[in-house]
Amino acid sequence: MTYLSEKDLYRRYMEFFEIAERKRRWSVFDDLPWALADRTQPNADLALCAETFCAVESYMPDYVAEGLNLVRESFGQAWWHVNWGYEEAKHALSLREYLVRTGQRTAEHMLDFEADALSRRWKPPFPTIRQMVCYGALQEKTTWMIYRRQMMAAREAGDELLASVYRFISRDEAAHGGFYLDVIGACLAEDRDGTIADLYRVSSQFTMPAYDLVPDYERRVEVMRSIGINRAVFLREVFLPVLSRVGVSRRELGRAAAMNKAADRHTESLPR
Ligand SMILES: [Fe+2]
Ligand SMILES: [Fe+2]
């Protein structure tokens, strides 16, 4: 399969990196209002969500290693991925620091919790680069939506420190999602049918990364549902806006679904 020219990918990476360096950089140490930590009222649900997202972000070694392996021959993609990993690392760090500095978790608890989480390994859910680009777009946009909602919940609860953490990290997630959407746009221009087939396949099997690896996952999902994160919200705030942004209609996606089912039927009818 062809997959965009290296020149094009390099240009996209450089544009993303320049904006990130010039306009989006933030410091875990200097830009968050840590002075508020002592005055923060504990909130069990917000803390549990922060811990869950911290765990998901903590699979960064797997995300970076597996992703780099997949794109190692492409300068634009490999360098982009390393910058992305640096930004994701700050997300885990700021959530972790928030939990410890506000006294809602101890440093020892976080070490044990992360060790437990990382005793399981994340594997990429799809085999090709283009499918992982589609997955990246949906995953980043979902993460952005979740963090924006958490930011508002933190603000409502009077926790300005946590709201500030979510504000910075959701800005990064929006930029990551935007990059993947641009790449999907270029893929569509190159091979529309193939890219739509990938988009269908990924969306029909989509789950957030590593959630099933995080300790005590079922209880965490319950809390996330109770704060309004569910499949309907995913469709309305993530999936349909993604389709509209890349200019793919639901009809085109439906056609890809029908072709996929026909291909499955054909494969099932083959002698084993
Ligand atoms: Fe992140
Ligand atoms: Fe991200």
Side-chain angles (χ1 to χ4, degrees):
M1 179 195 106
T2 55
Y3 175 69
L4 310 182
S5 74
E6 193 47 51
K7 200 172 154 195
D8 182 52
L9 287 165
Y10 179 71
R11 179 183 60 76
R12 286 170 194 276
Y13 156 69
M14 279 299 274
E15 280 171 10
F16 178 90
F17 189 51
E18 184 176 7
I19 292 172
E21 291 282 88
R22 292 213 158 121
K23 298 187 178 159
R24 200 165 41 78
R25 286 287 170 252
W26 58 280
S27 163
V28 172
F29 306 100
D30 300 330
D31 293 325
L32 295 167
W34 294 119
L36 299 175
D38 292 342
R39 278 175 274 152
T40 299
Q41 289 294 321
N43 180 310
D45 283 357
L46 285 176
L48 189 73
C49 287
E51 187 185 63
T52 306
F53 305 138
C54 181
V56 171
E57 299 271 8
S58 297
Y59 285 92
M60 184 272 292
D62 295 338
Y63 304 145
V64 171
E66 298 283 356
L68 267 184
N69 240 340
L70 197 62
V71 298
R72 63 177 292 285
E73 280 145 34
S74 161
F75 183 96
Q77 289 181 93
W79 263 244
W80 186 85
H81 202 71
V82 167
N83 173 80
W84 172 86
Y86 157 72
E87 295 183 6
E88 296 296 351
K90 285 200 302 191
H91 302 171
L93 201 59
S94 51
L95 287 166
R96 180 185 212 281
E97 285 295 305
Y98 163 81
L99 288 165
V100 173
R101 291 192 197 198
T102 58
Q104 297 185 81
R105 298 291 187 272
T106 64
E108 290 71 31
H109 166 85
M110 291 310 292
L111 284 175
D112 290 346
F113 175 70
E114 284 154 0
D116 184 10
L118 286 173
S119 65
R120 291 167 290 278
R121 196 179 272 261
W122 176 84
K123 289 278 174 206
F126 297 97
T128 73
I129 294 175
R130 196 170 63 190
Q131 286 169 0
M132 284 306 291
V133 167
C134 294
Y135 180 72
L138 290 178
Q139 181 272 123
E140 295 286 351
K141 182 99 179 151
T142 306
T143 313
W144 168 81
M145 179 270 290
I146 290 173
Y147 288 165
R148 293 292 293 181
R149 283 175 162 250
Q150 287 293 284
M151 179 186 81
M152 289 185 272
R155 213 169 261 162
E156 258 170 46
D159 189 341
E160 277 307 319
L161 173 56
L162 185 58
S164 185
V165 169
Y166 283 128
R167 188 169 67 81
F168 277 108
I169 63 183
S170 63
R171 219 165 48 125
D172 287 349
E173 309 299 13
H176 300 162
F179 177 82
Y180 281 128
L181 287 172
D182 285 346
V183 176
I184 291 177
C187 290
L188 282 164
E190 184 189 74
D191 171 15
R192 189 167 184 87
D193 290 347
T195 305
I196 292 176
D198 281 348
L199 206 50
Y200 166 73
R201 178 166 178 208
V202 170
S203 62
S204 63
Q205 297 170 23
F206 179 79
T207 55
M208 282 297 281
Y211 271 34
D212 50 342
L213 305 179
V214 174
D216 210 5
Y217 167 69
E218 290 302 327
R219 182 167 62 98
R220 294 168 193 280
V221 166
E222 276 308 308
V223 172
M224 281 192 271
R225 274 198 200 113
S226 73
I227 56 172
I229 297 165
N230 56 36
R231 190 82 191 165
V233 172
F234 167 77
L235 281 177
R236 190 179 65 237
E237 294 187 23
V238 175
F239 188 55
L240 295 178
V242 161
L243 281 190
S244 137
R245 161 83 193 268
V246 297
V248 170
S249 67
R250 291 167 84 170
R251 200 183 181 153
E252 283 179 292
L253 207 68
R255 236 181 352 244
M259 282 172 73
N260 195 58
K261 277 188 195 113
D264 280 354
R265 268 200 302 276
H266 177 67
T267 313
E268 276 163 18
S269 70
L270 292 176
R272 290 175 198 256

